[in-house]
Amino acid sequence: MTTGRVAVFAPSPQLTVTVEVLDGEPDIHIHAGGQGVWQSQMIESLGVEVVLCAALGGETGQVLRHLIGVALKARDVSARNGAYVHDRRDGVRDPVVVMPADPLSRHELDDLYEMTLVEALGAGVAVLSGPAEDDEPVPDSVYERLATDLGANGCAVVVDLSGGRLAAALEGGPMVVKVSHEELVSDGLAKSDSLPDLAVACEKLASSGARCVVVSRAAEETLALLDGDFHLVEVPRLSTVDTRGGGDSMTAGLAAGLAQGQSIEESLKLGAAAGAVNVMRHGLGSGSGDVVRELVGRVRLKRWEDDR
């Protein structure tokens, strides 16, 4: 039973510094970042109440507390949050400095888990997001526990993970799994990025009990397995500024739709529209809810028959 609210598990948000160019001069942007932050921002843009569950520590954590910008439930920890500096003055992100997050202690982890469990059960919809690719603030087993405990108590669980974190979350039987074609190939779940090979991977993921498996394919049509049927998702073509964050916005739209009581199909359309809007903007996880809602009616689901 959803309540029109989403809880997002983001164990360790990042402090992000991006250098761009404005009128020929360096232009520095400082934001809260990381998968869960970007997802939370888009969920709120879509008019759905959201709460971000995270651990904050060190100087980076102190700054992040003031930058996150959505409702926050934070556990104060001694572990530092990670940070990065990117130079995008030539139009391409060039990592200058990357500081990984510190791992949480046992007691910090227990407190974060309990806090997330309470918030997610109260919300009715939960998004399990991962930290930065090379960060390991929490063990993979946390994702299995959360997916299991939340699902068993009536919470709709949406996971946007890869690698060991995805494998662990699948053991908990989430409702929705969102993954990119690149992640499926790199994780060894798909032999290639061809549609037939991705379809095989989708069926593997669905065997965990997921009702919906969504595979984003960069500029190509998204592949979705909905209640046993394959679909290709057509979205309006928009100019691309930055492809990073498009998949996170898709996940946010999926979760927002479920929180609003929409069907899996309608939630997928909302997610696809949100992802399409994000790539035409500089800010990750950004986009006007009005624009997203306007595009939803232009999203099409086409049945795809696998001829294996």
Side-chain angles (χ1 to χ4, degrees):
M1 181 69 178
T2 61
T3 61
R5 188 156 61 98
V6 179
V8 177
F9 176 63
S12 187
Q14 284 180 302
L15 180 64
T16 75
V17 181
T18 304
V19 185
E20 299 188 347
V21 174
L22 179 64
D23 297 330
E25 298 294 333
D27 187 31
I28 299 176
H29 299 263
I30 303 174
H31 295 288
Q35 188 182 45
V37 172
W38 298 321
Q39 291 165 342
S40 298
Q41 291 170 345
M42 177 57 77
I43 290 169
E44 187 171 74
S45 293
L46 295 173
V48 174
E49 185 180 351
V50 65
V51 58
L52 181 71
C53 302
L56 298 178
E59 292 183 8
T60 45
Q62 292 177 26
V63 176
L64 282 167
R65 184 179 295 277
H66 301 285
L67 295 178
I68 284 176
V70 299
L72 173 68
K73 289 289 289 188
R75 168 57 157 94
D76 292 325
V77 297
S78 59
R80 301 172 305 168
N81 291 84
Y84 68 67
V85 179
H86 283 182
D87 188 341
R88 198 167 64 177
R89 283 176 289 182
D90 62 357
V92 179
R93 287 184 179 272
D94 178 22
V96 178
V97 178
V98 177
M99 185 184 82
D102 294 331
L104 302 185
S105 71
R106 182 183 66 180
H107 295 301
E108 291 170 345
L109 178 59
D110 285 346
D111 289 347
L112 176 62
Y113 187 91
E114 291 178 1
M115 181 184 73
T116 302
L117 192 69
V118 170
E119 292 297 327
L121 290 177
V125 177
V127 174
L128 305 187
S129 71
E133 184 176 357
D134 297 325
D135 287 3
E136 298 290 344
V138 300
D140 294 345
S141 58
V142 169
Y143 292 96
E144 178 181 354
R145 292 172 58 206
L146 277 173
T148 300
D149 292 347
L150 292 174
N153 287 280
C155 183
V157 178
V158 180
V159 302
D160 188 345
L161 303 162
S162 62
R165 296 163 189 155
L166 173 59
L170 289 173
E171 293 296 322
M175 175 184 288
V176 178
V177 177
K178 155 66 182 63
V179 67
S180 74
H181 70 291
E182 297 157 317
E183 291 165 339
L184 287 179
V185 174
S186 64
D187 288 347
L189 294 170
K191 293 180 180 179
S192 75
D193 61 3
S194 69
L195 279 174
D197 285 344
L198 294 176
V200 171
C202 285
E203 291 172 339
K204 292 178 185 176
L205 298 180
S207 66
S208 69
R211 285 189 56 196
C212 178
V213 179
V214 182
V215 181
S216 57
R217 301 167 60 229
E220 301 298 322
E221 295 171 324
T222 292
L223 176 66
L225 178 59
L226 305 178
D227 291 325
D229 294 322
F230 283 105
H231 300 265
L232 290 174
V233 186
E234 289 185 337
V235 298
R237 293 292 181 182
L238 301 171
S239 56
T240 300
V241 173
D242 190 346
T243 58
R244 292 182 73 239
D248 295 329
S249 290
M250 176 178 286
T251 301
L254 277 161
L258 292 174
Q260 292 170 328
Q262 297 182 18
S263 66
I264 288 283
E265 291 81 1
E266 292 304 313
S267 297
L268 176 58
K269 290 181 180 179
L270 183 63
V277 168
N278 184 91
V279 300
M280 72 176 191
R281 297 175 61 91
H282 288 91
L284 304 184
S286 63
S288 164
D290 291 339
V291 176
V292 174
R293 284 184 285 272
E294 175 61 32
L295 290 180
V296 167
R298 302 172 186 269
V299 176
R300 297 287 182 266
L301 301 185
K302 302 185 305 180
R303 283 289 296 274
W304 179 71
E305 298 295 338
D306 186 3
D307 58 3
R308 284 173 287 160

